Amino acid sequence: MTAPATPYRPLDIAAELIRCPSVTPEDAGALAVLERYLAPLGFACERMRFSDKDTPDIDNLYARLGSGRPHFCFAGHTDVVPVGEAAAWTVDPFAGEVRDGRLYGRGAADMKGSIASFVAAAQRIAAEGFQGSISLLITGDEEGPSINGTKKVLETLKARGETIDHCIVGEPTCVERLGDMIKVGRRGSINGWLTVTGCQGHVAYPHLADNPVPKLLEMLRRLEAHLLDEGTAHFQPSNLEITSVDVGNSATNVIPGSARAVLNIRFNDLHTGASLEKWMRDVCDAVAAETGARYTLKAVTSGEAFLTPPGAFSALIAAAAQKVTGVTPELSTSGGTSDARFIRAHAPVVEFGLPNQTMHKADENAGIDDITRLADIYEAVLRGYFAGQAEAAA
């Protein structure tokens, strides 16, 4: 198929995507916008819809150009977080308005702008030809439960024998300006719901009750006081944060029957979700043995820590960013989780995209110049990637 003669403008694509109010789990036409740009370039566009008990059905798009290797994949998401307080916005969140050199709207930074930049870069490469494959793995479930999205697409590809050689995720990774940070890994995350059960009673007759609050507080004190680690060469120290403590007690003269707490641990590659769950249970068991506390702990790991060791792939992206922006990127593992946590089991993966100062905020926006230059960076990455693979094969 002959590629369109008119160059794609990433700003136009980004604005069209923003005009699709694709708040998780709604697609709102966002994937159709991408298909309309990708199909004329020769991409085979495949919708993958997955469902799961008690979670929304999700549409995903897998679009691939070429069938050979090496296979370079761009991963991203078209779903966005809710608008929040509408009155806090000075623009229509889904109008894709341009003002003072910036594109405004929900998803401008996270991450419809990055997707648009990659599509524009892919057009330039497709027009000239290359040896290998380029794909886009776009989900509508990154900001939601992340159950029916990237993870299931990857499982489907693996089941039918498709291999991804390298992947870049277009998350907004830059801090102060475009090009200043590349994510080569992420810390893991585990949530814990801790409940201590006692016996409700009157505060004037404590011997007839069993107050769960002091026992819960002692468990939390020991968990919070423990130094998990001091960090590693690539990761900051792991940290445990208590995010909620509640007894649901509106009375001042009643000893509650139960007390609950919620906590989260962001951890580096010195730990796993399983090892941290065991540690939490050991601490709680010790308190229970000393105090007679009865407790339950539910622990859910939403992502394990991972690192793509700095090497040729991250160096390629760093060189492309520096060439376009003049900025030397920092290789970092800071921040929250992303779908890279699923991709890491299938291919080396790094994250690089727009500045992240306005993501998830009212009046979310991205600089038009940044969107344009990001397309130039992605183009340089693709050219360097396929040229390097060709040289290695020679």
Side-chain angles (χ1 to χ4, degrees), residues 307-390:
L307 175 70
T308 299
F313 187 45
S314 56
L316 170 65
I317 298 169
Q322 186 172 29
K323 177 181 178 181
V324 173
T325 67
V327 178
T328 300
E330 174 188 352
L331 303 184
S332 173
T333 60
S334 62
T337 60
S338 77
D339 276 1
R341 68 188 189 272
F342 304 128
I343 300 167
R344 64 154 185 123
H346 298 260
V349 56
V350 299
E351 302 172 48
F352 181 71
L354 292 165
N356 57 25
Q357 297 99 324
T358 67
M359 65 178 184
H360 293 200
K361 293 184 178 181
D363 282 354
E364 180 178 349
N365 65 84
I368 295 173
D369 185 53
D370 284 344
I371 295 172
T372 301
R373 291 190 300 162
L374 183 58
D376 295 338
I377 294 171
Y378 286 155
E379 177 188 0
V381 169
L382 288 171
R383 291 188 186 282
Y385 181 78
F386 289 110
Q389 297 292 337

Side-chain angles (χ1 to χ4, degrees), residues 44-56:
C45 297
E46 178 183 359
R47 290 287 187 101
M48 295 187 183
R49 185 175 180 84
F50 298 109
S51 60
D52 195 85
K53 182 181 179 182
D54 300 325
T55 60

Side-chain angles (χ1 to χ4, degrees), residues 89-280:
W89 288 73
T90 64
V91 297
D92 181 339
F94 298 111
E97 179 179 335
V98 173
R99 180 190 295 180
D100 299 325
R102 304 192 71 83
L103 174 65
Y104 284 79
R106 179 57 85 219
D110 187 16
M111 55 175 283
K112 292 179 175 181
S114 296
I115 295 173
S117 295
F118 190 84
V119 172
Q123 184 202 28
R124 302 169 194 173
I125 300 300
E128 298 181 9
F130 60 95
Q131 190 67 36
S133 300
I134 299 173
S135 68
L136 289 90
L137 193 170
I138 308 297
T139 184
D141 191 31
E142 198 273 347
E143 301 288 9
S146 298
I147 291 175
N148 295 321
T150 299
K151 185 177 181 180
K152 289 189 176 180
V153 174
L154 290 167
E155 290 171 353
T156 299
L157 298 182
K158 182 179 180 180
R160 67 191 193 192
E162 287 197 52
T163 301
I164 295 171
D165 291 302
H166 290 87
C167 181
I168 187 168
V169 180
E171 288 290 346
T173 57
C174 298
V175 181
E176 298 294 335
R177 52 181 174 166
L178 181 68
D180 66 7
M181 186 171 287
I182 297 170
K183 305 286 189 182
V184 294
R186 293 279 191 168
R187 292 193 297 169
S189 177
I190 181 171
N191 291 300
W193 291 265
L194 176 60
T195 301
V196 175
T197 303
C199 180
Q200 182 176 313
H202 196 291
V203 295
Y205 302 93
H207 60 288
L208 299 178
D210 179 12
N211 195 335
V213 176
K215 299 169 185 177
L216 174 66
L217 293 179
E218 179 60 18
M219 291 178 180
L220 294 177
R221 185 192 68 79
R222 295 190 193 184
L223 290 169
E224 198 275 335
H226 180 75
L227 179 65
L228 289 168
D229 59 72
E230 296 182 344
T232 68
H234 295 287
F235 286 93
Q236 66 192 84
S238 304
N239 63 291
L240 179 150
E241 301 300 329
I242 301 166
T243 58
S244 177
V245 179
D246 181 45
V247 295
N249 188 2
S250 60
T252 60
N253 61 348
V254 175
I255 294 171
S258 63
R260 298 167 294 280
V262 182
L263 52 88
N264 176 269
I265 305 175
R266 294 300 168 105
F267 59 93
N268 57 39
D269 56 352
L270 294 174
H271 312 274
T272 65
S275 71
L276 289 170
E277 179 179 353
K278 181 181 184 303
W279 166 70
M280 288 189 288

